[in-house]
Structure formats: structure tokens, C-alpha cells
Amino acid sequence: MRRLAFAAAMLAGVSGIGAAQEALRPYQVVGDAIPQSLTGQRGEPDRGRAVVVSRQSTCLLCHSGPFPEERFQGDLSPDLKGTGARWSEGELRLRLVDATRLNAATIMPAYYKVDGLNRVASAWRGKPILTAEQIEDVVAYLATLRD
Amino acid sequence: MLLSLLAVLLLAPAHAAEIPQAEKKSGYDFMTPETKAMQDELTSNPGMLTVLDGEALWNRKTGAANRACADCHQDASNSMKGVAARYPAFDAARGRPVNLDQRINACRTERQQATPLPPESKDLLALSAYVATQSRGMPIAPPDDPRLKPFREAGEKIYELRQGQLNLSCGQCHDQNWGKKLAGATIPQAHPNGYPLYRLEWQAMGSLQRRLRNCLIGMRAEHYEFGAPEYIDLELYLMSRARGLPIETPAVRP
């Protein structure tokens, strides 16, 4: 079981179902945040939760959080519980879009970035891990995690 | 100035620092008691079937030369003891290192005048498992051959390279986060001391290259063709990182 879940997570790459190919929306970093929504719209928290727990998104490879139904959660990084109390939406957005801007050595992948990566498998090349809409949904969801 | 230098040092990725000898752990050490017992008991170890197939192939005459491995090397428990603990080794004819599988295939084509065995084929895994099993329990001891150095360094570069859509390096998981959970799996230290091995997830024997390919696919990085020089270079580096750990072939892994 444990092995299957890991395989499913690690092998999600094979199917190549990534974010659709489209030009990245421009954004502006102010301090340690991206204050404006990437889409100009507010995300939808329920959809955001579904993105976070989906094996395709890879969040739970490293993070754990308030997901009692998910048996396999990682412990390489902070628990997502309470992130909405620790960070503003703009700060969360930058951490998802490109956490390496805050800590070059971080192991957290940049979820909305296609440049500066090495040897990306062809199924994923030129595509961000998440779409702009998915980023906004995840930001909206994480903002609800207040305790 | 001093402070910013200090900050740079503290923020620098903790790479290059290999795992200290006293903290080196085989993948075995992270397994459940049940899986450890499956590896330890040769009667229940599923890899032993492959080793027995390998023994039969060792003694079987084949190829246009109609010669068996045993005709040149006699008793493997003697002639092959320690070989897996020091491979990959430099091959003067190719001007680069070869691993055990490539050495076995060189003997097949040159000495037995037979066709080379395809990567991951049942017979190649069997012969390589049989040869490696002769070193079971012996510490990994890479040779001090200066010709290997540039290839080992090339392997280390691949190991440290952040790659794939997830932008991870091997070292970020296996040096910086070993022992922690990646979803449901405990991250081991990436030691190559049990291969070929029986992996429960595969329900089959597989080579080190199959394992490396799995990790690369997980990182959403391009993987290499089986037998690619990059895999041999990585293997050299992994063997030098694993110096002193015992060969466990045929190991069992989750």
C-alpha cells in the first residue's frame, strides 16, 4: 500500500498530465510577496484543497496537513496547518510560484516557473507544475488554514 | 562583511559534505523487520531464485565458442569473490569504466562469441546477481585507480545537479533528507550495495539503473538509456559514497 502510493506519486510523471501549455502570466514581486492574483480573480478554496491533496501536485510528498483522509503525507517540510495565519495571500503566492526567490537552496519546487530548469522530461517541458488558476485556488485554500 | 559571509556559508546547500562513515546506513536499515527477515533468510529471499538461475548460466556452454563462464573462471565462489565490491572498473579498451553487466556482456561477445544480453533481461540479471552474491558481506572498496577519477567526478556532478520539473537534486533527498518520509516512503541514503535486488513494488529483480531511472522519473527529469555512460558515472560515485558498507546482493527492498 505504502509502496503503491509512493509509486503513484513519483510516477505521476509518466502520464504527462501537467498544466496546459500556455504562456505564463506576468507577475510582480513586492518584498517577499506577489500581492496581485495571477488571474485577476480570487481562487476557490474547495478546488484548492483538491489540488493540494492530489498526487499530481506533489505537495503531500513533502508536507503534511489537515487531511485526515490522506494516509501518506511527507515530513520533509513544515506542516501546512496554520499557514494562513503565518502568511498573507501575497506571501503564499510567491512561495508557491517560486520559493527559490526566498531561499535559493530550498527543496520546494517552483510551481509556476518554466525557465532555469535542467533536463526536464519532455512530457513536462515548458509547462509549470500548476496553472495560474490552480495557484490561485491553492492560495485561497491555504489562506483558510488559520489554526 | 563578515556577517554576510557567514550568512552565505550558512545558507549554502549542504552538499559536497558526504555522509560521515559512522552515519552511513544501508537501505536495509530503514526496512521493516519483516522485509529484513525476507532478505536475511536465503530460503525466503525471492532474489535467490535469480541467483540460482545465474549459477546454471555460469556453468552452461554457449555461443560460437561453446564455452561456459566456468570454463575460464572456474569456481565463482573463489574467482568472483570481491569483484562486485570494487566495480565499476576501468576498461582500457573503451577508455572508460564499465560496470558488472557490461563486463559480463564483454565476456559473452569476446570470449563466448555469443550475443550480448539485453539490459534488465532475466539472464543478465541472473548472471550479475550470481557474480555479485559471491561478495555478499564484503565491504565496498572502490579501487584507487586514478583513471576513474574524472568519471567519478562526472557522476558527482549529476548527483548534485538540480534537475527535472521538480528541480531537485539526488543529494537534496539522499544527503539532506534521508530518514524522513517522502509521502509514505522513507528516504534511504541511496547506497548501491544490494543490486541487482528484488523490489517488492516491482514484484521482480531489477538493476541499479532501473532504480536510478525511477528516481529520475519521479523528479520529472529525462532519464537515460540503459547502459548510458551517465549511469556508470553515477554508479562510480555512489560506490565511493558507500565505501565500507557490505554488499547485500540479492537484497530485498520495499
Side-chain angles (χ1 to χ4, degrees):
Chain A
M1 242 340 268
R2 163 191 167 299
R3 300 188 308 272
L4 285 181
F6 175 64
M10 288 289 277
L11 291 178
V14 184
S15 59
I17 317 163
Q21 194 132 21
E22 54 162 277
L24 296 192
R25 319 270 172 99
Y27 58 83
Q28 209 184 348
V29 178
V30 180
D32 76 336
I34 299 175
Q36 303 290 322
S37 162
L38 298 175
T39 60
Q41 314 268 310
R42 285 196 69 78
E44 223 290 19
D46 286 347
R47 281 203 309 256
R49 188 185 194 278
V51 171
V52 170
V53 301
S54 149
R55 295 284 150 190
Q56 281 284 332
S57 310
T58 69
C59 309
L60 300 193
L61 279 179
C62 297
H63 290 280
S64 55
F67 316 111
E69 77 284 10
E70 293 295 324
R71 264 189 74 197
F72 303 105
Q73 307 186 22
D75 67 3
L76 305 193
S77 43
D79 194 299
L80 293 177
K81 184 166 88 219
T83 35
R86 288 193 289 279
W87 307 105
S88 70
E89 294 199 4
E91 287 167 335
L92 289 169
R93 192 174 288 112
L94 179 57
R95 275 154 185 79
L96 287 166
V97 163
D98 189 358
T100 61
R101 283 172 175 262
L102 297 161
N103 168 10
T106 187
I107 146 168
M108 174 143 160
Y111 282 87
Y112 198 67
K113 172 173 161 170
V114 294
D115 294 328
L117 302 174
N118 303 305
R119 307 191 65 259
V120 177
S122 57
W124 307 103
R125 212 170 296 148
K127 300 170 194 167
I129 306 172
L130 297 179
T131 61
E133 288 74 17
Q134 287 175 315
I135 298 277
E136 291 308 323
D137 290 343
V138 173
V139 166
Y141 169 65
L142 292 177
T144 68
L145 301 180
R146 305 208 58 90
D147 43 40
Chain B
M1 174 58 205
L2 241 178
L3 266 182
S4 66
L5 183 67
L6 196 65
V8 168
L9 284 174
L10 289 175
L11 288 174
H15 77 115
E18 259 180 39
I19 300 169
Q21 197 63 33
E23 287 173 39
K24 275 188 205 168
K25 288 183 202 298
S26 164
Y28 177 91
D29 296 316
F30 301 97
M31 305 198 308
T32 61
E34 296 75 44
T35 318
K36 284 182 177 168
M38 193 189 289
Q39 173 172 318
D40 293 340
E41 300 295 328
L42 290 186
T43 49
S44 68
N45 183 324
M48 280 309 287
L49 289 171
T50 302
V51 171
L52 292 175
D53 286 347
E55 181 173 22
L57 289 171
W58 178 266
N59 292 302
R60 186 178 305 154
K61 292 187 190 298
T62 188
N66 198 34
R67 251 185 282 175
C69 313
D71 291 336
C72 288
H73 299 287
Q74 286 81 38
D75 183 356
S77 69
N78 186 33
S79 61
M80 294 295 124
K81 200 178 159 93
V83 172
R86 61 179 168 76
Y87 257 65
F90 194 80
D91 179 61
R94 296 187 210 203
R96 56 167 295 119
V98 293
N99 70 0
L100 257 191
D101 286 2
Q102 290 173 320
R103 166 57 60 217
I104 289 167
N105 266 333
C107 281
R108 268 185 73 86
T109 51
E110 289 156 28
R111 321 256 178 216
Q112 297 178 305
Q113 292 165 37
T115 49
L117 298 167
E120 300 303 302
S121 61
K122 190 167 172 288
D123 285 0
L124 187 55
L125 289 168
L127 274 170
S128 141
Y130 179 64
V131 170
T133 300
Q134 310 309 322
S135 303
R136 208 170 206 246
M138 295 178 70
I140 289 182
D144 217 354
D145 182 341
R147 294 171 302 177
L148 293 173
K149 195 167 170 256
F151 300 97
R152 189 177 293 131
E153 286 170 358
E156 182 172 6
K157 280 221 176 69
I158 300 174
Y159 185 87
E160 298 293 356
L161 177 73
R162 296 186 67 154
Q163 54 178 312
Q165 195 193 33
L166 302 188
N167 198 26
L168 297 169
S169 71
C170 313
Q172 283 183 308
C173 281
H174 293 294
D175 289 333
Q176 296 175 25
N177 284 294
W178 59 264
K180 296 200 189 143
K181 287 263 191 256
L182 184 76
T186 305
I187 302 179
Q189 293 179 350
H191 295 308
N193 57 325
Y195 292 83
L197 54 68
Y198 190 91
R199 188 149 185 247
L200 298 170
E201 184 183 310
W202 296 333
Q203 302 268 302
M205 288 292 276
S207 70
L208 177 64
Q209 292 187 12
R210 182 169 175 191
R211 172 68 257 176
L212 300 182
R213 183 188 179 100
N214 275 202
C215 282
L216 286 166
I217 290 173
M219 296 147 80
R220 304 186 179 179
E222 275 182 290
H223 57 77
Y224 307 99
E225 291 307 307
F226 283 120
E230 288 86 351
Y231 280 141
I232 311 296
D233 295 350
L234 258 177
E235 181 173 350
L236 261 180
Y237 176 63
L238 294 179
M239 286 295 276
S240 87
R241 271 177 93 244
R243 187 184 304 272
L245 288 178
I247 297 283
E248 294 174 12
T249 314
V252 176
R253 292 289 181 270

